[in-house]
Amino acid sequence: MTAYNSVFKRVEKKYRIDVAERAAVEAAAERLMAVDDYGRTRITSLYLDTPERAMIARSVEKPLYKEKLRLRAYGDAAGVALMGAFGVGPIVREPGGLPLSDGEVETRVAAGLRVARTAAGLQVAPAAAGLQTMGDADGDAVGSVEACRPCAGEALRGNGLSAGFPVFFGIKKKFKGIVYKRRLALTLPAALAFVSGLPYEQACARWPLPDAGLAAVALAPATRQIARELEAAMNRWLPLAPSMGIACDRVAWAYRPEVREARGCDELFDAELRITFDDCLECLDCHRFRSPWRPIIESSESVMEIKSAGPYPPWLVDVLSAERIYSASFTKYGNAYQMATAVPRARNHRRAVRGGA
């Protein structure tokens, strides 16, 4: 990977659909579109929030403007390592707080990689792998995180997973229905250090991306500007800590190159239209790492997301109308937050009933 999109501005609408509805949309799409080069990909996102989850609590109230901060990794093994590294004990960005030391960062990364190797079923001795032995502090993280994807070993087998895989850290803003995204790529240890309070440039210099192209982009002026925006957003919501892990399997459709070329002169043609299908959607509450990953939707459902810069093309409107598929107010983090807060409410209600009896 030597390039990636760092800035997005588009309308994003979600639809909860069943197997038959998904098949109908895919059948219509395949006339002009194809699944992108990544195929079916496991995506793991880690959302940051205040300890009271003020950011998502505001978001679910549907204000005119809202924002979210998240780290994202692509692939089974990278996602498990991301959650494992951030799940090893508390990590809080707070006013006047000190960032993690180099030793703390590297211990967390070693723990995350070990979680990923364990999940992959690889018997790797800590000394041989350059890892430190994990203590009791991260035992809960291991049990919860590796349970997410026990088959997370495709990227680990052979030459193994290193800490140099890219983690994408971004801010997602929504204003008057338009979604704005800004993100940058950095290594897992650099992400840990940056989130904990180390200046972005220092984190990148200490733990650079191994890909020369990505490493150059990481310190380009435009990327540094995104880092300043991320720092400002983090500092608006202090204290800040890991809040919720969200994982899903995604298949993304985009127009085939020959279609883009043929329609390039059409002003009404949205060449960047994308349709994604997310299934196996589940969440892990970072406030309760002992708890298992929980499904957010039914196993027979998918969340379809249509990402567009303009009106939908006629073929897409036709299939949505024919199948009576309507957009839904649905956010992955928002639904996971409501599930998480429903548990203590139910527990408190049972206690109150018992107390009154």
Side-chain angles (χ1 to χ4, degrees), residues 300-316:
S300 60
E301 286 185 302
S302 299
V303 174
M304 177 178 70
E305 191 165 359
I306 300 177
K307 306 176 183 188
S308 64
Y312 290 177
W315 66 265
L316 183 53

Side-chain angles (χ1 to χ4, degrees), residues 178-194:
I178 306 297
V179 173
Y180 304 85
K181 295 181 185 177
R182 312 267 285 173
R183 66 175 185 171
L184 49 78
L186 63 176
T187 60
L188 179 56
L192 279 162
F194 181 40

Side-chain angles (χ1 to χ4, degrees), residues 59-127:
S59 179
V60 297
E61 293 175 352
K62 301 180 181 179
L64 193 64
Y65 171 83
K66 55 187 178 181
E67 61 187 13
K68 298 171 188 171
L69 287 165
R70 73 182 178 203
L71 297 123
R72 174 168 283 183
Y74 293 86
D76 282 311
V80 172
L82 170 68
M83 293 299 297
F86 275 87
V88 181
I91 175 172
V92 180
R93 182 186 180 101
E94 54 190 351
L98 295 174
L100 295 173
S101 68
D102 286 7
E104 290 171 321
V105 167
E106 289 167 5
T107 296
R108 284 173 170 272
V109 171
L113 293 177
R114 179 163 176 166
V115 173
R117 288 188 171 94
T118 302
L122 300 182
Q123 300 300 318
V124 182

Side-chain angles (χ1 to χ4, degrees), residues 134-184:
M134 298 171 65
D136 294 337
D138 54 287
D140 294 338
V142 176
S144 293
V145 175
E146 71 180 17
C148 171
R149 296 293 280 186
C151 60
E154 83 290 341
L156 292 170
R157 303 187 187 280
N159 57 8
L161 177 71
S162 73
F165 66 86
V167 172
F168 293 90
F169 184 23
I171 181 170
K172 179 179 180 179
K173 309 175 184 180
K174 190 171 185 179
F175 180 63
K176 292 185 177 180
I178 306 297
V179 173
Y180 304 85
K181 295 181 185 177
R182 312 267 285 173
R183 66 175 185 171
L184 49 78

